[in-house]
Amino acid sequence: MGESTATADSTSKEGQNTPAAPLPQHPPPLFPLKEFLEKACHESASAGLPRVRIIDVGAMLLSEAEEVWKPLQRRGHCESVVGFEPCAEECDRLNADAASAASSSSSSAPTLRFLPWAVGDGSTGQFRRCSAAMTSSMLEPNIPLLRRFAQLEEVTTVVERTEMATRRLDDLLPDIPGGSADYLKIDVQGGELAVLQGAQEALKDILVVHTEVEFVDMYEKQPLFAEVDQCLRKAGFVFHRFASIHGRPMKPLHLSANPLQPISQQMWADAVYVRDQWELKEHSKDQLIKLALILHEVYHSYDVVLHVLQKVDADVAKQYLEKMQGISG
């Protein structure tokens, strides 16, 4: 659930009124890793760095910020993006934006493809289209809880129900370039565990998972952070960090300067997991470089990047450490 859940009648997600303004970009890292690696490791410069393959489950465009993987695309580190978005008009919008971008891009631009499917554990259920499209879910919004908080009931009211079969990510791997991906982003309003349960084979190749998680049951009978964490740890992932944490004030109290700013209650977050972060035993050199690119360019996790580069080449890692110390010192 993005921070743009401010009002139920907001059209920034729907794209029905004025053209969308450019989205705020993620801040850049302290320095581009590509240029550093090409200078420190001449073989990579001649052969080209490996590029990242991305799966985006719940790919709807939000109005408050660009997609988490956009820095990789913008800096030439992205080979392909396959996104899944069950709201058909939103999926059409994503494909139209991708086609428009492709027409003005270089031949090295990534392949972007968005499919109108709900990803889960393969079960069939109701897709609940909500008053704000971004809150739509295969689960029923927990209105008795949501109405306790400022402007959550208004954006989660169900306006349409459609029978829909979910698709397992493992069954969709033939639709993914190369048959696997490196970076998995999930934003499916309470359905995160179902996505992961249907992706046990896919997770074997995934390097980083960026998933929304909830700490309270915003949707009825939804798995919470603890269950998602257990699933990912069982699959060999290590919790790295929260990329963001969000909440809302409980009614009737709120801050007049920002009525939606949480006062104490945290409700949902974006959690980042890294496969076998401590040992990195089964990672190829290309996978280690991709992992370093993701962590450096997207999350600015410089200390973990140094740990990864030590597995690539001790001299390269030493140069990275010296560059970081020169900046921070």
Side-chain angles (χ1 to χ4, degrees), residues 1-237:
M1 183 176 294
E3 281 300 276
S4 56
T5 54
T7 59
D9 59 354
S10 171
T11 56
S12 59
K13 288 270 295 187
E14 303 292 343
Q16 295 175 345
N17 288 348
T18 58
L23 296 175
Q25 293 186 356
H26 291 279
L30 293 175
F31 58 89
L33 187 60
K34 177 181 179 180
E35 285 79 357
F36 166 81
L37 289 176
E38 289 180 344
K39 182 178 180 180
C41 183
H42 298 293
E43 291 183 5
S44 292
S46 60
L49 296 178
R51 297 201 297 166
V52 178
R53 294 196 291 256
I54 299 165
I55 295 176
D56 187 341
V57 180
M60 184 183 297
L61 185 64
L62 299 177
S63 63
E64 72 270 12
E66 63 182 5
E67 284 290 2
V68 66
W69 45 262
K70 278 290 185 179
L72 296 172
Q73 178 189 4
R74 188 163 55 250
R75 293 165 196 144
H77 303 311
C78 179
E79 177 182 316
S80 64
V81 178
V82 177
F84 301 93
E85 176 48 58
C87 289
E89 65 272 26
E90 296 292 340
C91 189
D92 290 342
R93 179 186 172 197
L94 288 164
N95 280 312
D97 289 349
S100 176
S103 65
S104 58
S105 298
S106 67
S107 59
S108 62
T111 301
L112 302 177
R113 183 186 182 200
F114 298 93
L115 301 168
W117 302 335
V119 176
D121 58 6
S123 61
T124 298
Q126 281 191 345
F127 179 70
R128 283 87 166 171
R129 178 65 183 262
C130 292
S131 47
M134 75 195 78
T135 68
S136 303
S137 175
M138 293 297 294
L139 301 175
E140 188 74 17
N142 186 0
I143 296 299
L145 173 75
L146 294 170
R147 66 166 50 113
R148 294 175 180 270
F149 297 91
Q151 300 230 11
L152 284 184
E153 179 183 7
E154 293 87 341
V155 296
T156 53
T157 301
V158 177
V159 298
E160 183 182 8
R161 301 173 189 271
T162 307
E163 287 296 312
M164 188 174 294
T166 64
R167 304 190 184 210
R168 298 171 68 251
L169 200 53
D170 284 344
D171 298 332
L172 297 173
L173 289 179
D175 294 291
I176 307 300
S180 66
D182 309 297
Y183 189 17
L184 173 62
K185 172 242 166 179
I186 308 173
D187 184 0
V188 289
Q189 311 307 314
E192 298 83 15
L193 183 61
V195 172
L196 294 170
Q197 289 173 335
Q200 293 303 295
E201 287 300 315
L203 286 173
K204 294 177 181 178
D205 293 307
I206 296 291
L207 304 174
V208 176
V209 175
H210 179 114
T211 181
E212 187 174 67
V213 294
E214 287 82 25
F215 307 114
V216 297
D217 51 343
M218 301 175 68
Y219 294 84
E220 293 182 3
K221 300 179 181 179
Q222 73 162 107
L224 299 178
F225 170 62
E227 291 116 302
V228 173
D229 178 73
Q230 288 176 348
C231 179
L232 281 167
R233 286 192 289 111
K234 185 177 180 180
F237 286 81

Side-chain angles (χ1 to χ4, degrees), residues 1 26 96 99 101 153 210 235 241 253 276 299-300 302 308:
M1 183 176 294
H26 291 279
E153 179 183 7
H210 179 114
R241 60 177 292 180
L253 187 62
D276 190 24
Y299 301 108
H300 307 170
Y302 307 117
V308 174

Side-chain angles (χ1 to χ4, degrees), residues 276-294:
D276 190 24
Q277 178 175 306
W278 308 131
E279 302 299 332
L280 303 169
K281 291 180 296 187
E282 298 181 1
H283 291 57
S284 67
K285 182 177 179 180
D286 277 1
Q287 287 179 318
L288 290 169
I289 292 174
K290 290 178 184 181
L291 177 57
L293 286 167
I294 295 168

